[in-house]
């Protein structure tokens, strides 16, 4: 059965490992990669340092996503204005987990992002019509020479209007978003497995 990443209240009530930063969500996506390495402590620094510009496919997908913004002549003016991991607020960092938060109207051409300074501000209620997104990376140690790197996206919509808009947007971008996540995981895997 193909999962579209929609999460019902019943599914959520039975969910294991609910993220503390976003315990209520209606959308979820998960990707994983097994990495052969005796240095799992090197995984998270590679995630933090990952630059979407280094991957031509990710760069192309992000360019397509930002096309409506460019057509409205509201294109980002500098590299720092580009959408990427630097757009998110770091909520939690440890050797085995990273959590990033984002709030806004992601379906809008300009993403409708809110500025968030820290985890406390992120956990405040989203404004009506906006959504909250949590991006989580986790490393699970399988054995002394293998680790599993997982990336998950969780999205909460506080009202029917934002849920309806997010559902349409989710269906439109989900395949591309998943490809971006898988390429990121594979890039980290390749770097760790092919370095002497």
């Amino acid at each position: 059965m193909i999962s579209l990443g929609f999460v019902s209240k019943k599914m959520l009530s039975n969910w294991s490992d609910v993220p503390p930063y976003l315990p209520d969500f209606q959308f979820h996506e998960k990707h994983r990669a097994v990495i052969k390495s005796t240095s799992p402590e090197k995984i998270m620094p590679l995630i933090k340092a990952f630059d979407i510009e280094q991957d031509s496919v990710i760069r192309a997908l992000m360019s397509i996503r930002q096309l409506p913004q460019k057509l409205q002549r509201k294109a980002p003016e500098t590299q720092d204005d580009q959408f990427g991991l630097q757009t998110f607020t770091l909520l939690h960092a440890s050797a085995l987990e990273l959590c990033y938060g984002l709030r806004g109207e992601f379906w809008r051409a300009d993403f409708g992002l809110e500025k968030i300074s820290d985890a406390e501000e992120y956990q405040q209620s989203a404004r009506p019509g906006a959504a909250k997104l949590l991006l989580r990376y986790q490393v699970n140690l399988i054995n002394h020479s293998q680790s599993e790197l997982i990336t998950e996206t969780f999205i909460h919509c506080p009202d029917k209007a934002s849920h309806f808009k997010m559902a349409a947007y989710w269906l439109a971008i989900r395949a591309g978003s998943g490809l971006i996540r898988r390429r990121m995981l594979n890039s980290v895997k390749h770097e760790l497995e092919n370095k002497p």
Side-chain angles (χ1 to χ4, degrees):
M1 182 176 151
I2 297 173
S3 169
L4 295 177
F6 294 99
V7 179
S8 67
K9 288 186 185 291
K10 183 177 180 181
M11 291 167 66
L12 187 58
S13 68
N14 296 317
W15 204 276
S16 63
D17 199 22
V18 170
Y21 292 100
L22 195 62
D24 183 21
F25 51 91
Q26 298 90 19
F27 303 89
H28 175 258
E29 185 157 13
K30 185 175 189 174
H31 300 280
R32 60 184 82 220
V34 173
I35 299 173
K36 295 175 185 170
S37 172
T38 56
S39 304
E41 71 282 356
K42 292 182 179 178
I43 296 174
M44 287 308 175
L46 289 174
I47 291 291
K48 283 176 111 171
F50 186 81
D51 179 7
I52 63 173
E53 291 295 313
Q54 72 190 27
D55 186 294
S56 60
V57 173
I58 295 175
R59 205 170 47 246
L61 288 170
M62 292 306 296
S63 183
I64 291 167
R65 168 54 185 93
Q66 292 175 339
L67 188 59
Q69 187 177 19
K70 291 175 184 174
L71 293 174
Q72 290 181 352
R73 304 201 189 281
K74 295 179 182 176
E77 295 178 7
T78 68
Q79 185 69 18
D80 290 339
D81 293 331
Q82 296 284 334
F83 185 84
L85 200 53
Q86 78 282 354
T87 310
F88 290 73
T89 300
L90 180 63
L91 305 176
H92 170 77
S94 70
L96 300 178
E97 184 176 66
L98 288 171
C99 292
Y100 292 93
L102 196 64
R103 291 180 7 181
E105 298 173 58
F106 314 127
W107 48 88
R108 283 182 23 187
D110 65 356
F111 300 96
L113 299 179
E114 295 178 33
K115 292 214 181 273
I116 305 165
S117 57
D118 56 26
E120 186 178 333
E121 188 175 350
Y122 171 79
Q123 290 184 289
Q124 295 172 8
S125 297
R127 70 178 189 269
K132 291 172 71 170
L133 183 150
L134 178 73
L135 180 58
R136 177 168 72 180
Y137 297 95
Q138 291 180 313
V139 174
N140 295 325
L141 306 177
I142 297 172
N143 56 44
H144 73 283
S145 63
Q146 286 188 317
S147 298
E148 180 183 48
L149 174 58
I150 299 169
T151 176
E152 292 179 277
T153 302
F154 304 86
I155 301 173
H156 168 73
C157 297
D159 51 47
K160 287 182 181 179
S162 60
H163 190 272
F164 177 76
K165 290 174 185 174
M166 186 65 221
Y169 179 67
W170 181 257
L171 290 172
I173 60 102
R174 189 166 180 269
S177 175
L179 180 58
I180 289 170
R181 301 282 181 254
R182 289 189 301 276
R183 290 187 69 86
M184 186 177 188
L185 296 181
N186 286 332
S187 174
V188 170
K189 175 182 171 75
H190 179 74
E191 182 154 349
L192 284 171
E193 291 184 349
N194 293 294
K195 266 194 171 174

